[in-house]
Amino acid sequence: MTDKKFFWGICGWLFCLMLIFMVAVRWLDPMTYMDNEYASWRQQKDYIQGNGQPARVLFLGDSIFQAAVRPEIFGEDVRVLALGGATSIEMNYALQEYLKHYPKPEKIFMAFSPLHYANMESYRSRNLYFHYLPWRQVVDSQLEIYKRDKLPWFQYVPDMAEDMEYMMRLPTKYFRTIFDSRLSRGDFNREQYETIRQAKGHRYFGLSQEWHHSYQPYVGWLQPFEPLGSIDYYLRDIISICQNNGIQLYILQAPMHNLDYELITESRYLHDFQQYMEKLAQETGVPVEITPPAYDVNSFGDNLHVNQIGALAYSQNLKSRYNP
């Protein structure tokens, strides 16, 4: 056998193995190998596609808001649609999908960490990895990112190639996960799914009482705040959807602990963020909270998320101010 034939033979075998892997991944239940964030994303998507009861009040946002809102405090007909690492891109899709399958809600409360107005670190590692957005929405959102986020042109091709790896479930993205899981995570993920379903979308994240002893500030707090154009675009689209459908929207601020609050105050990050919030309120006419509420570290279970104490305090305060 010549070297050339040997080379193409190896390529052919690798291609066949890749096809077999892609078919196998599509056949496998993701619950058996995905990490523990998957259950939350899967449950929320099942709900917005009609597998549940309609809600009078919706809460949209990221994991910080998801942990902070306790639905039972606001009544039976409320639902948390917030997700870990989500931005306005995912919440825009969630709202549009919800409105396809349920009557419109009376009110929507939405909150993100300031970090999730300025970056989208989970866009691929959660959104695409879990196949949350359908293919068409992935393309549309990626085009908006290219258009509005001032990315260098030479980044387009690598980004699109990585998107294809996720959408086609290639081994480069899923082999390690499946191998490490040994397909043994099904029971845990199904239990998490049911827990989140019964909690109407609410979940806690870290629940340590000692995390602040090793506190390290997030480096992003030390940089100027600058919102991403794509996130601003989808945020304003959510506002338009609510206004066009007669839904009362409130843009809130998610809680943060006093260590971070003092840091962003000194670095002027908070000042820049408040200016952005004030501009958003002026240009849209939507009620917008300007300043994040600060809580003692004992109200947090990790560096970002409140614990039971913080969630109770935040939810009661929210109810007293807005009576959802």
Short mmCIF file of all heavy atoms in Angstrom, two decimals, residues 141-174:
data_model
loop_
_atom_site.label_atom_id
_atom_site.label_comp_id
_atom_site.label_asym_id
_atom_site.label_seq_id
_atom_site.Cartn_x
_atom_site.Cartn_y
_atom_site.Cartn_z
N SER A 141 -28.53 35.30 15.90
CA SER A 141 -27.82 35.94 17.00
C SER A 141 -26.35 36.14 16.66
O SER A 141 -25.75 37.17 17.02
CB SER A 141 -27.96 35.11 18.29
OG SER A 141 -27.39 33.83 18.15
N GLN A 142 -25.75 35.18 15.95
CA GLN A 142 -24.35 35.32 15.58
C GLN A 142 -24.15 36.48 14.62
O GLN A 142 -23.18 37.24 14.73
CB GLN A 142 -23.83 34.03 14.95
CG GLN A 142 -22.32 33.97 14.83
CD GLN A 142 -21.63 33.94 16.18
OE1 GLN A 142 -21.71 32.97 16.91
NE2 GLN A 142 -20.95 35.02 16.54
N LEU A 143 -25.09 36.67 13.70
CA LEU A 143 -25.01 37.81 12.77
C LEU A 143 -25.13 39.13 13.52
O LEU A 143 -24.44 40.11 13.19
CB LEU A 143 -26.10 37.69 11.71
CG LEU A 143 -25.93 36.56 10.69
CD1 LEU A 143 -27.14 36.48 9.77
CD2 LEU A 143 -24.65 36.74 9.87
N GLU A 144 -25.99 39.17 14.53
CA GLU A 144 -26.11 40.40 15.32
C GLU A 144 -24.84 40.65 16.13
O GLU A 144 -24.42 41.81 16.29
CB GLU A 144 -27.32 40.29 16.27
CG GLU A 144 -28.68 40.30 15.58
CD GLU A 144 -28.95 41.59 14.83
OE1 GLU A 144 -28.33 42.63 15.16
OE2 GLU A 144 -29.80 41.57 13.93
N ILE A 145 -24.22 39.60 16.62
CA ILE A 145 -22.97 39.75 17.36
C ILE A 145 -21.89 40.32 16.44
O ILE A 145 -21.17 41.25 16.82
CB ILE A 145 -22.53 38.39 17.93
CG1 ILE A 145 -23.48 37.97 19.06
CG2 ILE A 145 -21.09 38.45 18.46
CD1 ILE A 145 -23.29 36.54 19.53
N TYR A 146 -21.78 39.78 15.23
CA TYR A 146 -20.80 40.30 14.28
C TYR A 146 -21.08 41.76 13.94
O TYR A 146 -20.17 42.58 13.81
CB TYR A 146 -20.81 39.48 12.99
CG TYR A 146 -20.30 38.06 13.14
CD1 TYR A 146 -20.75 37.05 12.30
CD2 TYR A 146 -19.37 37.73 14.12
CE1 TYR A 146 -20.29 35.74 12.44
CE2 TYR A 146 -18.91 36.44 14.27
CZ TYR A 146 -19.37 35.44 13.42
OH TYR A 146 -18.91 34.16 13.56
N LYS A 147 -22.33 42.07 13.81
CA LYS A 147 -22.73 43.41 13.38
C LYS A 147 -22.51 44.47 14.46
O LYS A 147 -22.11 45.60 14.17
CB LYS A 147 -24.20 43.39 12.97
CG LYS A 147 -24.78 44.72 12.53
CD LYS A 147 -26.25 44.57 12.15
CE LYS A 147 -26.87 45.90 11.76
NZ LYS A 147 -28.31 45.73 11.41
N ARG A 148 -22.74 44.10 15.73
CA ARG A 148 -22.84 45.10 16.79
C ARG A 148 -21.70 45.07 17.81
O ARG A 148 -21.56 46.04 18.57
CB ARG A 148 -24.18 44.93 17.52
CG ARG A 148 -25.37 45.08 16.59
CD ARG A 148 -26.70 44.83 17.29
NE ARG A 148 -27.80 44.83 16.34
CZ ARG A 148 -28.39 45.92 15.88
NH1 ARG A 148 -28.00 47.11 16.33
NH2 ARG A 148 -29.38 45.84 15.01
N ASP A 149 -20.90 44.00 17.86
CA ASP A 149 -19.91 43.88 18.92
C ASP A 149 -18.49 44.20 18.50
O ASP A 149 -17.54 43.96 19.25
CB ASP A 149 -19.96 42.47 19.53
CG ASP A 149 -21.24 42.23 20.31
OD1 ASP A 149 -21.99 43.18 20.54
OD2 ASP A 149 -21.49 41.07 20.68
N LYS A 150 -18.32 44.70 17.31
CA LYS A 150 -17.02 45.18 16.82
C LYS A 150 -15.93 44.11 16.91
O LYS A 150 -14.80 44.36 17.33
CB LYS A 150 -16.58 46.42 17.62
CG LYS A 150 -17.57 47.56 17.57
CD LYS A 150 -17.16 48.72 18.46
CE LYS A 150 -18.19 49.84 18.45
NZ LYS A 150 -17.82 50.94 19.36
N LEU A 151 -16.30 42.90 16.52
CA LEU A 151 -15.32 41.82 16.51
C LEU A 151 -14.42 41.94 15.29
O LEU A 151 -14.86 42.36 14.21
CB LEU A 151 -16.03 40.45 16.47
CG LEU A 151 -16.92 40.11 17.66
CD1 LEU A 151 -17.61 38.78 17.43
CD2 LEU A 151 -16.10 40.08 18.94
N PRO A 152 -13.15 41.57 15.41
CA PRO A 152 -12.26 41.61 14.23
C PRO A 152 -12.73 40.60 13.18
O PRO A 152 -13.18 39.50 13.51
CB PRO A 152 -10.89 41.23 14.81
CG PRO A 152 -11.20 40.52 16.09
CD PRO A 152 -12.46 41.11 16.62
N TRP A 153 -12.60 40.97 11.92
CA TRP A 153 -13.12 40.14 10.83
C TRP A 153 -12.52 38.73 10.82
O TRP A 153 -13.17 37.76 10.47
CB TRP A 153 -12.86 40.81 9.49
CG TRP A 153 -11.40 40.97 9.16
CD1 TRP A 153 -10.60 42.03 9.44
CD2 TRP A 153 -10.56 40.01 8.51
NE1 TRP A 153 -9.32 41.82 9.02
CE2 TRP A 153 -9.26 40.58 8.44
CE3 TRP A 153 -10.75 38.73 8.00
CZ2 TRP A 153 -8.18 39.91 7.87
CZ3 TRP A 153 -9.68 38.06 7.43
CH2 TRP A 153 -8.42 38.64 7.36
N PHE A 154 -11.23 38.63 11.25
CA PHE A 154 -10.58 37.32 11.20
C PHE A 154 -11.11 36.35 12.26
O PHE A 154 -10.76 35.18 12.28
CB PHE A 154 -9.06 37.45 11.35
CG PHE A 154 -8.61 38.23 12.56
CD1 PHE A 154 -8.55 37.65 13.81
CD2 PHE A 154 -8.25 39.57 12.42
CE1 PHE A 154 -8.14 38.36 14.91
CE2 PHE A 154 -7.84 40.30 13.52
CZ PHE A 154 -7.78 39.70 14.77
N GLN A 155 -11.99 36.83 13.15
CA GLN A 155 -12.58 35.95 14.16
C GLN A 155 -13.86 35.29 13.65
O GLN A 155 -14.34 34.33 14.25
CB GLN A 155 -12.89 36.76 15.43
CG GLN A 155 -13.22 35.91 16.64
CD GLN A 155 -13.32 36.74 17.91
OE1 GLN A 155 -12.68 37.78 18.03
NE2 GLN A 155 -14.12 36.28 18.85
N TYR A 156 -14.40 35.76 12.54
CA TYR A 156 -15.67 35.26 12.03
C TYR A 156 -15.61 33.76 11.72
O TYR A 156 -16.47 32.99 12.14
CB TYR A 156 -16.10 36.03 10.78
CG TYR A 156 -16.48 37.47 11.00
CD1 TYR A 156 -16.36 38.08 12.26
CD2 TYR A 156 -16.95 38.24 9.95
CE1 TYR A 156 -16.69 39.40 12.45
CE2 TYR A 156 -17.31 39.58 10.14
CZ TYR A 156 -17.17 40.14 11.38
OH TYR A 156 -17.50 41.45 11.57
N VAL A 157 -14.60 33.37 10.94
CA VAL A 157 -14.52 31.98 10.50
C VAL A 157 -14.32 31.02 11.68
O VAL A 157 -15.03 30.01 11.79
CB VAL A 157 -13.42 31.80 9.44
CG1 VAL A 157 -13.21 30.32 9.11
CG2 VAL A 157 -13.78 32.57 8.17
N PRO A 158 -13.37 31.28 12.60
CA PRO A 158 -13.24 30.38 13.77
C PRO A 158 -14.52 30.30 14.59
O PRO A 158 -14.88 29.22 15.08
CB PRO A 158 -12.10 31.00 14.57
CG PRO A 158 -11.32 31.78 13.58
CD PRO A 158 -12.31 32.30 12.60
N ASP A 159 -15.22 31.42 14.75
CA ASP A 159 -16.46 31.41 15.52
C ASP A 159 -17.51 30.55 14.84
O ASP A 159 -18.19 29.74 15.48
CB ASP A 159 -16.99 32.84 15.68
CG ASP A 159 -16.26 33.61 16.76
OD1 ASP A 159 -15.42 33.01 17.46
OD2 ASP A 159 -16.51 34.82 16.89
N MET A 160 -17.67 30.72 13.54
CA MET A 160 -18.66 29.93 12.82
C MET A 160 -18.30 28.45 12.82
O MET A 160 -19.18 27.59 12.92
CB MET A 160 -18.80 30.46 11.39
CG MET A 160 -19.51 31.80 11.30
SD MET A 160 -19.89 32.31 9.60
CE MET A 160 -18.24 32.74 9.02
N ALA A 161 -17.01 28.15 12.73
CA ALA A 161 -16.58 26.76 12.78
C ALA A 161 -16.91 26.13 14.14
O ALA A 161 -17.37 24.98 14.22
CB ALA A 161 -15.09 26.66 12.51
N GLU A 162 -16.71 26.89 15.21
CA GLU A 162 -17.02 26.38 16.54
C GLU A 162 -18.53 26.20 16.71
O GLU A 162 -18.97 25.22 17.32
CB GLU A 162 -16.47 27.32 17.61
CG GLU A 162 -16.63 26.76 19.02
CD GLU A 162 -15.95 27.59 20.08
OE1 GLU A 162 -15.53 28.73 19.77
OE2 GLU A 162 -15.84 27.12 21.22
N ASP A 163 -19.30 27.13 16.17
CA ASP A 163 -20.76 26.98 16.22
C ASP A 163 -21.19 25.68 15.54
O ASP A 163 -22.06 24.96 16.04
CB ASP A 163 -21.44 28.16 15.53
CG ASP A 163 -21.27 29.46 16.29
OD1 ASP A 163 -20.80 29.42 17.45
OD2 ASP A 163 -21.61 30.52 15.74
N MET A 164 -20.57 25.38 14.41
CA MET A 164 -20.92 24.15 13.68
C MET A 164 -20.54 22.91 14.49
O MET A 164 -21.25 21.90 14.45
CB MET A 164 -20.20 24.14 12.33
CG MET A 164 -20.72 25.18 11.34
SD MET A 164 -22.45 24.91 10.91
CE MET A 164 -22.34 23.32 10.08
N GLU A 165 -19.44 22.98 15.23
CA GLU A 165 -19.06 21.84 16.06
C GLU A 165 -20.15 21.52 17.08
O GLU A 165 -20.46 20.36 17.33
CB GLU A 165 -17.75 22.15 16.79
CG GLU A 165 -16.52 22.17 15.91
CD GLU A 165 -15.27 22.47 16.71
OE1 GLU A 165 -14.95 23.66 16.91
OE2 GLU A 165 -14.62 21.50 17.17
N TYR A 166 -20.72 22.58 17.68
CA TYR A 166 -21.79 22.36 18.64
C TYR A 166 -23.06 21.87 17.96
O TYR A 166 -23.69 20.91 18.42
CB TYR A 166 -22.10 23.66 19.39
CG TYR A 166 -21.09 24.02 20.44
CD1 TYR A 166 -20.30 25.17 20.32
CD2 TYR A 166 -20.92 23.24 21.58
CE1 TYR A 166 -19.38 25.51 21.29
CE2 TYR A 166 -20.00 23.57 22.56
CZ TYR A 166 -19.23 24.71 22.41
OH TYR A 166 -18.31 25.05 23.37
N MET A 167 -23.45 22.54 16.89
CA MET A 167 -24.72 22.20 16.25
C MET A 167 -24.71 20.80 15.66
O MET A 167 -25.72 20.11 15.63
CB MET A 167 -25.06 23.23 15.18
CG MET A 167 -25.19 24.66 15.69
SD MET A 167 -26.30 24.82 17.12
CE MET A 167 -27.86 24.36 16.40
N MET A 168 -23.53 20.34 15.19
CA MET A 168 -23.43 19.01 14.60
C MET A 168 -23.03 17.94 15.62
O MET A 168 -22.87 16.78 15.28
CB MET A 168 -22.42 19.04 13.45
CG MET A 168 -22.83 19.93 12.29
SD MET A 168 -21.57 20.00 10.99
CE MET A 168 -21.64 18.30 10.39
N ARG A 169 -22.83 18.38 16.87
CA ARG A 169 -22.46 17.47 17.96
C ARG A 169 -21.19 16.68 17.64
O ARG A 169 -21.13 15.46 17.80
CB ARG A 169 -23.61 16.51 18.27
CG ARG A 169 -24.87 17.18 18.79
CD ARG A 169 -25.99 16.16 18.97
NE ARG A 169 -27.13 16.68 19.69
CZ ARG A 169 -28.15 17.34 19.14
NH1 ARG A 169 -28.14 17.55 17.82
NH2 ARG A 169 -29.16 17.76 19.86
N LEU A 170 -20.17 17.40 17.20
CA LEU A 170 -18.93 16.74 16.81
C LEU A 170 -18.15 16.25 18.04
O LEU A 170 -18.29 16.79 19.14
CB LEU A 170 -18.05 17.71 16.01
CG LEU A 170 -18.60 18.14 14.64
CD1 LEU A 170 -17.58 19.01 13.91
CD2 LEU A 170 -18.96 16.94 13.78
N PRO A 171 -17.32 15.23 17.87
CA PRO A 171 -16.54 14.69 18.99
C PRO A 171 -15.65 15.72 19.66
O PRO A 171 -15.34 15.60 20.85
CB PRO A 171 -15.71 13.58 18.34
CG PRO A 171 -16.42 13.23 17.09
CD PRO A 171 -17.12 14.46 16.63
N THR A 172 -15.21 16.73 18.91
CA THR A 172 -14.35 17.76 19.47
C THR A 172 -15.02 18.49 20.63
O THR A 172 -14.33 19.07 21.48
CB THR A 172 -13.95 18.78 18.39
OG1 THR A 172 -15.13 19.19 17.69
CG2 THR A 172 -12.97 18.17 17.40
N LYS A 173 -16.35 18.48 20.68
CA LYS A 173 -17.07 19.16 21.75
C LYS A 173 -17.73 18.20 22.75
O LYS A 173 -17.96 18.58 23.90
CB LYS A 173 -18.15 20.08 21.15
CG LYS A 173 -17.59 21.25 20.35
CD LYS A 173 -16.70 22.14 21.20
CE LYS A 173 -16.18 23.31 20.40
NZ LYS A 173 -15.21 24.12 21.19
N TYR A 174 -18.03 16.99 22.33
CA TYR A 174 -18.84 16.13 23.18
C TYR A 174 -18.18 14.83 23.62
O TYR A 174 -18.67 14.17 24.53
CB TYR A 174 -20.17 15.81 22.48
CG TYR A 174 -21.06 17.03 22.36
CD1 TYR A 174 -21.04 17.82 21.21
CD2 TYR A 174 -21.88 17.42 23.41
CE1 TYR A 174 -21.82 18.95 21.11
CE2 TYR A 174 -22.67 18.55 23.33
CZ TYR A 174 -22.64 19.31 22.16
OH TYR A 174 -23.41 20.45 22.08
#
